[in-house]
Amino acid sequence: MKKILKSVLITLLSLMIVIGAVVVWRLGLWLPGRVENPTIPETPGFEMVKDMQLGWNLGNTLEAHVDGIDGLESETSWGNPVTTQEIINTVKAAGFKTLRIPVTWASHMGDAPDYTIDSAWLDRVQEIVDYGYSTGMYVVINLHHDDQYWFIPNKKHEEAAAAQFVALWEQVSERFSDYGERLLFESANEPRVVGSFLEWGGGTISERAVVNRLSAKFVDTVRKSGGNNAQRWLVINTYGASYEPVPMRSLKLPDDDRLIVSVHAYYPRGFAFDNDLEDRVFTEKVRKSVDKMLGQVYRTFIAKGIPVFMGEFGASTKDNANERVKYAAHYITEAKRYGIACAWWDNGYFLEDNEDVPPTFALLDRHKLQWVYPEIAEAMRQAAE
């Protein structure tokens, strides 16, 4: 009974904190404003992020997952074509220096206790890594939608999740142990308890603690695996990859000097993420919102000597290409002031007079190898240089 009461009290306390944080966030009070003269630490981590510069996500591809599709055909199950060297060359030629490759492993792994990754799938992941790595790009691979299957970061599932999580990263680390520092491992995309009440509200105190413990196991697993993994740069996300105060401040990094924090910020949501056509102009309010959010990320991490990689950002299309150009250019310019590298989320599909589909952030038509919004890509390239 005491344990149940304690659990209830912790949950209620977490809920009160999150509700308070959300209210303050909605009112814009948690954002103290733009930092006018930021100081960027001169450390290897910040040099690394500086060199990563501008990134592009190979979205809706290796992380695509459909029940019943377990083999290599899952790569195209969400409508994108098979990834080729030509696609990655096109991305590189547009000025992107970092390739982020989201990967869902769930349907490509065996059962306990070994959780063996299907060799054909691991070969395919490596093949696409090589597409980017061979061009001189930085490449980031991760664990992406597994939280919809087995990666459940709460106390009830922690032991089982940790066992599979460690087994996965042991195998990935072994496969890529000879790769140099231009290959980065990202522990988990947006680690959270999917479907929970606080899924996108920063989680509970307990859930955030579980994510911190799993992140520590990730670092320990990679470091023990040998080869170049002893010095590989590792990316750790906040709970849900959130840029909000509670999850950012609750992040506990392991004692390791080659870590990079990642958050995702489609911000402000009305302009950047929602399909609402009423909110599609890059106004002064939108600009200030971006400034304040990035300023908060700076205060929480960069000012304390912790480098940051914005693993996902973007603005969905609303027939407002010129406004998105302004947004993208300002976002990258402001992030660069703080020493933050950013990767645009490109999910690869385009609207066809259908406002009911999920927001689309695609810039490159991978089927035709044509930039549909070359002006956005070019604006980001110029801002990142």
Side-chain angles (χ1 to χ4, degrees), residues 238-349:
T238 60
Y239 187 95
S242 177
Y243 52 82
E244 294 180 21
V246 171
M248 284 203 298
R249 293 171 185 169
S250 298
L251 181 64
K252 305 297 182 185
L253 290 175
D255 184 14
D256 189 291
D257 62 1
R258 295 180 77 82
L259 301 180
I260 297 170
V261 167
S262 183
V263 296
H264 299 168
Y266 301 90
Y267 192 82
R269 187 179 178 89
F271 177 88
F273 197 87
D274 294 339
N275 277 344
D276 186 0
L277 297 182
E278 297 295 320
D279 197 358
R280 56 180 175 175
V281 178
F282 183 67
T283 62
E284 183 69 6
K285 180 179 179 181
V286 172
R287 184 190 69 76
K288 288 182 177 180
S289 294
V290 171
D291 293 352
K292 290 181 178 180
M293 180 273 296
L294 290 173
Q296 182 70 7
V297 173
Y298 170 85
R299 290 180 173 90
T300 306
F301 296 121
I302 289 90
K304 298 175 183 176
I306 302 169
V308 173
F309 169 56
M310 187 73 70
E312 293 180 19
F313 91 105
S316 60
T317 182
K318 304 175 186 180
D319 193 24
N320 63 338
N322 290 337
E323 300 303 311
R324 292 202 294 156
V325 167
K326 298 173 188 176
Y327 174 84
H330 180 73
Y331 200 113
I332 295 298
T333 298
E334 192 68 4
K336 182 181 177 181
R337 281 200 328 114
Y338 295 127
I340 302 171
C342 302
W344 181 276
W345 177 255
D346 192 318
N347 50 7
Y349 62 88

Side-chain angles (χ1 to χ4, degrees), residues 347-369:
N347 50 7
Y349 62 88
F350 299 90
L351 298 176
E352 295 181 359
D353 300 320
N354 183 357
E355 296 180 6
D356 295 327
V357 301
T360 178
F361 302 83
L363 303 180
L364 175 66
D365 186 330
R366 303 179 209 170
H367 295 274
K368 299 177 182 178
L369 276 183

Side-chain angles (χ1 to χ4, degrees), residues 166-300:
V166 168
L168 187 155
W169 281 112
E170 284 177 341
Q171 295 171 76
V172 174
S173 296
E174 181 180 2
R175 175 60 68 98
F176 293 101
S177 63
D178 292 336
Y179 285 67
E181 70 171 15
R182 284 191 292 105
L183 176 63
L184 296 82
F185 295 162
E186 178 184 4
S187 61
N189 173 57
E190 293 168 348
R192 67 197 191 280
V193 180
V194 173
S196 65
F197 180 70
L198 296 174
E199 176 181 358
W200 297 114
T204 65
I205 294 173
S206 175
E207 288 164 354
R208 293 194 297 272
V210 172
V211 168
N212 285 331
R213 288 195 291 271
L214 290 173
S215 295
K217 287 184 179 294
F218 161 71
V219 174
D220 185 55
T221 300
V222 175
R223 294 294 182 240
K224 287 180 178 178
S225 62
N228 290 330
N229 293 326
Q231 293 297 314
R232 188 169 310 288
W233 288 98
L234 304 179
V235 180
I236 307 291
N237 282 274
T238 60
Y239 187 95
S242 177
Y243 52 82
E244 294 180 21
V246 171
M248 284 203 298
R249 293 171 185 169
S250 298
L251 181 64
K252 305 297 182 185
L253 290 175
D255 184 14
D256 189 291
D257 62 1
R258 295 180 77 82
L259 301 180
I260 297 170
V261 167
S262 183
V263 296
H264 299 168
Y266 301 90
Y267 192 82
R269 187 179 178 89
F271 177 88
F273 197 87
D274 294 339
N275 277 344
D276 186 0
L277 297 182
E278 297 295 320
D279 197 358
R280 56 180 175 175
V281 178
F282 183 67
T283 62
E284 183 69 6
K285 180 179 179 181
V286 172
R287 184 190 69 76
K288 288 182 177 180
S289 294
V290 171
D291 293 352
K292 290 181 178 180
M293 180 273 296
L294 290 173
Q296 182 70 7
V297 173
Y298 170 85
R299 290 180 173 90
T300 306

